[in-house]
């Protein structure tokens, strides 16, 4: 297996390979403004609840997604749960600065779309920060045919997000 292949990540992987867990945590927390800070126990829990957890390499890219049945308390996830009976929610996707421009985010999303369709889902959802702004993420999600379905101000007004959905049936 080479360093650019997609690999699943499970809680056992994190427990068995502390370097992998540390690398994923460092990658996430380097982008905490866009994603949210995680402690090791929370990362392990989220991976255990995930519909899909994938990585490319140890430090290059990571995606974490949940379906509507996950035990997850994120206000963004709960926003979608209140509106859609069935969905796959992209909680976080991150590509290390050193790995940008290689198409890793698109590969992770394409893999997620395929997995969601095989599992009978017809919608993938996510949120993108409007405040603080994230123009690169806005452009990326627009190129993947995500459409805005709502907005919200969360975390005591410190963040405004745009909720996006992609229809997988077309």
């Amino acid at each position: 297996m080479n360093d650019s292949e997609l690999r699943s990540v499970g809680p056992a992987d994190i427990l068995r390979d502390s370097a992998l867990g540390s690398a994923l945590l460092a990658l996430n927390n380097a982008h905490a403004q866009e994603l949210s800070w995680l402690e090791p126990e929370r990362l392990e829990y989220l991976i255990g609840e995930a519909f899909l957890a994938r990585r490319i390499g140890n430090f290059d890219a990571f995606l974490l997604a949940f379906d509507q049945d996950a035990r997850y308390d994120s206000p963004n996830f709960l926003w979608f749960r209140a509106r859609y009976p069935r969905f796959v929610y992209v909680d976080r996707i991150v590509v290390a600065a050193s790995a940008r421009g290689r198409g890793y985010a698109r590969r992770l999303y394409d893999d997620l779309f395929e997995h969601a369709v095989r599992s009978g889902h017809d919608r993938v959802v996510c949120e993108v920060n409007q405040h603080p702004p994230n123009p690169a993420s806005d452009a990326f999600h627009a190129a993947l045919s995500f459409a805005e379905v709502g907005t919200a101000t969360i975390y005591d007004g410190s963040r405004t997000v745009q909720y996006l959905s992609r229809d997988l049936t077309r």
Side-chain angles (χ1 to χ4, degrees):
M1 198 178 287
N2 69 46
D3 284 342
S4 66
E5 289 186 41
L6 288 169
R7 300 176 189 167
S8 293
V9 179
D13 298 317
I14 301 297
L15 292 173
R16 184 176 53 249
D17 186 346
S18 62
L20 172 62
S22 295
L24 292 176
L25 197 63
L27 180 58
N28 181 89
N29 290 344
H31 300 274
Q33 180 176 340
E34 299 89 0
L35 302 173
S36 73
W37 185 268
L38 290 177
E39 295 297 331
E41 300 78 21
R42 182 68 170 171
L43 175 63
E44 184 182 332
Y45 172 80
L46 293 177
I47 288 172
E49 284 293 309
F51 169 79
L52 190 69
R54 293 273 202 265
R55 66 182 168 101
I56 298 176
N58 286 334
F59 306 98
D60 293 330
F62 177 58
L63 174 136
L64 189 60
F66 303 96
D67 70 11
Q68 69 286 335
D69 297 325
R71 292 176 297 158
Y72 190 32
D73 59 357
S74 156
N76 299 314
F77 174 81
L78 296 173
W79 188 94
F80 287 110
R81 182 185 272 169
R83 286 159 179 81
Y84 300 108
R86 191 162 165 77
F87 61 89
V88 174
Y89 168 71
V90 178
D91 182 60
R92 56 196 69 229
I93 181 167
V94 60
V95 177
S98 62
R100 294 205 176 124
R102 298 181 193 171
Y104 287 172
R106 184 171 289 274
R107 283 183 55 209
L108 287 165
Y109 261 108
D110 287 345
D111 178 59
L112 174 64
F113 296 150
E114 290 174 20
H115 193 76
V117 167
R118 279 194 312 270
S119 298
H121 289 278
D122 62 3
R123 173 186 320 274
V124 171
V125 299
C126 64
E127 86 280 344
V128 174
N129 289 346
Q130 286 184 315
H131 177 74
N134 192 341
S137 186
D138 290 336
F140 177 73
H141 286 90
L144 290 177
S145 301
F146 279 86
E148 183 178 318
V149 293
T151 60
T153 300
I154 56 174
Y155 302 124
D156 297 324
S158 67
R159 195 177 286 186
T160 302
V161 295
Q162 170 181 236
Y163 294 117
L164 305 174
S165 178
R166 176 176 167 166
D167 181 351
L168 298 176
T169 62
R170 36 184 185 111

